[in-house]
Amino acid sequence: MRPSDPTARESRGPVRYGPPLPAPGLPVPPELAGVVAGAAGRPHAEPPGGAPALLEAARGYWQRRGLAADRGRIVAAPGGAPLLLALTAALGGDVLVPRPCPAWWVPQARLLGREVFHVPTPAECGGVPDPYALLETVRRVRAEGGDPRLLVLSVADDPTATVPPPEVLHEAVEAAVGEGLHVVSDETWRDTLHPGTDTVLFSPAEMFPAQVTVLTELTGAFLPPSLPAACARFPRTAQGDRLADRVLDCLTATSAVLAAPVAAAATYVLNEPEEVTARRTAVVALHAGPAAAAYRIVLAGGGLALPPRAGRHLYVDLDPLRPPLAARGVTDAQDLEDFLTARLDMPAPGGHRFGDDPAALRVRLSTGPLLGSTPDERGASLKSPDPLELPHVTSLLGKVRSVFDELRGDPGPVEPVSSEGNGPAGEGWESER
């Protein structure tokens, strides 16, 4: 039951530290660039945890989403990883995460010498543990002398691009709270729900406000990767106050302080002026099209996938194609990553980077590289009323289709991917023959 040595598979690639969040691949808006440039001349450092203007902007951001917040119970940091590191240090004990989970969660606990336990997810979604598997895992960890204290989950998931149904989320969080675990809800992708999917998103902080801390990495929906910033909202309780203070101590001790230009950018986007919300809406819709198109290509090629409902990625299970992949020397997730990265000419991190079984043939595909190969092409995709009809997008999706056609043994002509019916449908790992 205890986790295996994380260094055991290092000879098969850098498995301990996975890929970053899927990047948008789009130009920085001129308004945001202006805000950053305007703050570059500030001579004074930002205070640890964020300046009052940033914290007030974060409070308003959560207030507009139905999560009441106090400025004194909000902390900002230069990215989700240092913020989760501080949270893990402050809470102590062992950590539980769903399998698979975002690649940046687990290294934080391992750097602190904490044990991490992966819990299987329900069939219909990722991001949250199956409640019965969670209870059994907690029982076994405690029986073996462990001290589980923290569950990290996500309401809009990387890598699976799914959103847990409210009842599934509630059961998972209820089980965790019943066992005395504190829940950190990673809501990085909550503002990237694909249009037309009828997806309902709830935060566990709405269900169990006293036991949930919300974490948002702003490079998910608002900022480019060059401007890393994240905020945490703590429970409005005495325990939440103590936890916020300990996290602030950790950030101060490690000098995890936002640079002034990044703080200005974070304040600007969290206030959500009209140009920010319009850009976010356009970018979300832009990525939803290639995600749905890639989903259809995978199913037609004999693979399995959950319908993408959020974010900029798609999680694919190619176990049904194991025989043709084995004939090409692909027998595990690292092999699959190497093969698809080379064949698609785009990052295709294997499932082992997200805590999945290294023997499973799973991989995360990102939509950013499908929007264009140059800044001009990506800019044209953003401006187009139907990006899937653009020649460069059709060509890039055609490359994905050709790889799956080859594996399926059907090297037929590449057809344009229609923009009709982009909304994902169905539940569970689906296939199409």
Side-chain angles (χ1 to χ4, degrees):
M1 185 66 190
R2 307 299 285 182
S4 60
D5 181 358
T7 66
R9 295 189 303 274
E10 283 188 4
S11 61
R12 294 303 318 282
V15 300
R16 286 194 298 167
Y17 307 111
L21 297 175
L26 297 169
V28 176
E31 299 88 354
L32 178 60
V35 169
V36 173
R42 294 180 185 175
H44 304 295
E46 292 290 303
L54 172 55
L55 303 182
E56 179 60 25
R59 187 200 65 78
Y61 165 84
W62 275 307
Q63 188 75 39
R64 289 187 292 275
R65 284 152 182 80
L67 294 176
D70 299 328
R71 200 169 74 183
R73 295 187 176 99
I74 298 172
V75 171
L83 189 48
L84 183 58
L85 178 70
L87 270 163
T88 307
L91 285 163
D94 299 331
V95 181
L96 290 91
V97 297
R99 181 192 299 273
C101 71
W104 58 276
W105 287 1
V106 173
Q108 317 311 316
R110 286 181 174 163
L111 286 171
L112 293 168
R114 304 288 167 74
E115 298 279 21
V116 180
F117 299 89
H118 292 268
V119 185
T121 55
E124 63 267 39
C125 67
V128 299
D130 176 88
Y132 299 103
L134 174 65
L135 292 173
E136 178 62 15
T137 301
V138 170
R139 185 190 68 80
R140 291 185 181 182
V141 171
R142 287 176 174 156
E144 295 177 6
D147 182 22
R149 297 188 193 178
L150 169 62
L151 169 66
V152 188
L153 53 77
S154 56
V155 297
D157 187 43
D158 167 27
T160 66
T162 60
V163 177
E167 64 276 11
V168 173
L169 177 65
H170 188 278
E171 290 175 358
V173 179
E174 184 178 41
V177 170
E179 291 297 323
L181 304 180
H182 189 81
V183 176
V184 170
S185 176
D186 178 5
E187 303 189 3
T188 294
W189 299 103
R190 71 166 294 154
D191 295 299
T192 67
L193 298 186
H194 295 176
T197 60
D198 297 325
T199 301
V200 178
L201 184 147
F202 279 92
S203 170
E206 299 176 70
M207 304 171 177
F208 297 90
Q211 292 86 15
V212 177
T213 294
V214 176
L215 185 154
T216 297
E217 164 65 77
L218 297 182
T219 54
F222 293 96
L223 294 175
S226 58
L227 300 170
C231 296
R233 170 198 176 274
F234 296 90
R236 305 173 79 185
T237 63
Q239 182 183 15
D241 290 342
R242 290 192 295 271
L243 180 57
D245 289 342
R246 290 198 297 271
V247 167
L248 184 57
D249 282 342
C250 292
L251 294 173
T252 303
T254 56
S255 296
V257 179
L258 286 163
V262 179
T267 303
Y268 167 69
V269 298
L270 285 170
N271 279 321
E272 297 185 289
E274 183 178 354
E275 64 271 18
V276 168
T277 56
R279 165 79 174 214
R280 185 186 68 225
T281 300
V283 171
V284 169
L286 174 61
H287 284 276
Y295 170 73
R296 293 193 297 272
I297 290 172
V298 168
L299 298 192
L304 305 173
L306 289 164
R309 301 191 182 279
R312 302 189 283 259
H313 44 279
L314 176 71
Y315 200 57
V316 178
D317 186 346
L318 298 185
D319 192 74
L321 299 174
R322 185 174 288 274
L325 284 167
R328 292 161 174 82
V330 178
T331 61
D332 63 15
Q334 183 65 55
D335 291 337
L336 183 62
E337 175 181 308
D338 296 339
F339 174 78
L340 287 181
T341 297
R343 296 301 300 274
L344 297 176
D345 194 26
M346 60 182 276
H352 61 301
R353 298 186 182 274
F354 309 101
D356 223 333
D357 182 357
L361 295 177
R362 295 177 186 144
V363 66
R364 187 188 74 185
L365 303 178
S366 297
T367 54
L370 300 175
L371 302 178
S373 303
T374 67
D376 287 343
E377 287 182 349
R378 292 189 287 268
S381 296
L382 181 60
K383 296 175 183 177
S384 174
D386 194 352
L388 294 183
E389 297 296 327
L390 294 174
H392 63 268
V393 176
T394 299
S395 175
L396 291 166
L397 285 168
K399 184 183 293 187
V400 178
R401 185 191 296 276
S402 68
V403 170
F404 282 92
D405 283 347
E406 177 188 346
L407 292 174
R408 191 181 57 179
D410 179 21
V414 175
E415 299 178 358
V417 179
S418 171
S419 60
E420 297 180 0
N422 285 337
E427 296 295 340
W429 290 93
E430 300 188 7
S431 63
E432 175 178 298
R433 295 287 187 266

